[in-house]
Amino acid sequence: MQQRLIKEIASYLQSLPEEKRIDAINAFRQAIHENSPFRDQPIDCVLWIKQDDIIANDYNPNNVAPPEKRLLGKSLELDGFTQPIVVTESDSQHYEIVDGFHRHEIGSNRAALKRQLKGYLPVTCLRKARQEKFDRMAATIRHNRARGRHQINAMSDIVRELVQLGWNDEKIGKELGMDSDEVLRLKQINGLLELFADRRYSEAWTVK
């Protein structure tokens, strides 16, 4: 029965025009994912989504130097996408990037990749529970920190926003994988600047 189903699916897919075929492949993958013993793992279901339906977030603290970015572009052209872009579904069939901003940027703008990918990009969606902005922000930072790349000022801005949303230091540290000293330092980057924004530093505070 399994082989018969595989043949029927292959025959069905071959009968479709390209865009309809991609939609059907995504539908089959989602149906398989829903019945998979690994359905709690986002990587279990990689979908091909039109690049115009994927949007960047406005808080990503990750930064890639020009040489690394060029190497990433060369890797994507020669080796293909070996990592999907991590997203959340912001609206039906519209996706916001959690991790993979630079893969999205290069895949969307480099002519050779646009031809190879036919205007699509591979994505995997985070679990539905992770839909609030602060949860997406925390997920982005965890992905970035796991690779050891983040901008301190952008990180401190995110910590400040999480504090304003009511997160305490313990929750921030737990969600972002930081110890209490790291959280304090990131809070101070913004907090001390705001505290002294309208004051002049006295002579005693001047570094000699």
Side-chain angles (χ1 to χ4, degrees):
M1 181 176 180
Q2 179 178 309
Q3 289 301 317
R4 179 172 60 80
L5 283 172
I6 291 172
K7 288 181 180 179
E8 288 179 359
I9 289 171
S11 177
Y12 170 68
L13 291 175
Q14 290 166 9
S15 71
L16 298 174
E18 189 170 81
E19 187 170 335
K20 294 287 187 182
R21 192 185 317 153
I22 294 169
D23 290 341
I25 289 170
N26 284 341
F28 285 135
R29 286 180 176 174
Q30 287 173 310
I32 293 169
H33 176 60
E34 289 169 6
N35 292 279
S36 169
F38 306 109
R39 58 183 172 273
D40 289 335
Q41 301 299 322
I43 195 64
D44 188 60
C45 185
V46 176
L47 304 176
W48 287 99
I49 302 299
K50 288 183 178 179
Q51 62 187 44
D52 292 341
D53 293 333
I54 305 170
I55 60 172
N57 61 57
D58 58 1
Y59 52 79
N60 185 16
N62 188 13
N63 186 42
V64 175
E68 293 176 332
K69 196 170 182 179
R70 287 194 295 271
L71 183 59
L72 175 60
K74 180 64 70 175
S75 173
L76 292 175
E77 282 189 30
L78 297 180
D79 304 320
F81 269 77
T82 57
Q83 295 179 340
I85 297 164
V86 182
V87 299
T88 57
E89 193 169 5
S90 54
D91 296 304
S92 179
Q93 302 300 307
H94 288 84
Y95 304 85
E96 181 177 306
I97 297 171
V98 169
D99 181 68
F101 171 82
H102 299 290
R103 296 194 295 280
H104 170 264
E105 181 182 35
I106 293 170
S108 299
N109 296 319
R110 187 166 293 201
L113 284 170
K114 289 181 73 172
R115 286 194 301 272
Q116 290 178 29
L117 300 170
K118 306 176 187 297
Y120 288 79
L121 291 169
V123 308
T124 185
C125 292
L126 287 186
R127 300 181 181 102
K128 292 294 184 181
R130 296 279 181 185
Q131 291 297 311
E132 296 294 336
K133 181 178 180 181
F134 48 80
D135 287 318
R136 298 196 302 271
M137 292 166 70
T140 295
I141 291 175
R142 284 193 294 269
H143 279 80
N144 289 341
R145 283 174 63 82
R147 289 190 300 271
R149 296 198 303 265
H150 57 270
Q151 292 176 286
I152 295 300
N153 288 337
M155 287 279 287
S156 68
D157 288 340
I158 288 175
V159 167
R160 178 178 60 179
E161 186 167 345
L162 293 176
V163 169
Q164 292 170 344
L165 288 168
W167 286 27
N168 59 31
D169 289 6
E170 183 180 0
K171 183 173 176 63
I172 291 172
K174 181 179 178 181
E175 291 289 331
L176 305 189
M178 300 177 182
D179 60 35
S180 57
D181 287 341
E182 286 181 285
V183 175
L184 179 60
R185 284 196 296 271
L186 289 169
K187 288 174 69 175
Q188 286 176 332
I189 289 172
N190 273 310
L192 290 177
L193 287 174
E194 291 171 356
L195 181 62
F196 296 106
D198 298 322
R199 303 186 189 180
R200 283 187 163 186
Y201 287 95
S202 68
E203 196 75 19
W205 285 91
T206 304
V207 178
K208 301 292 185 180

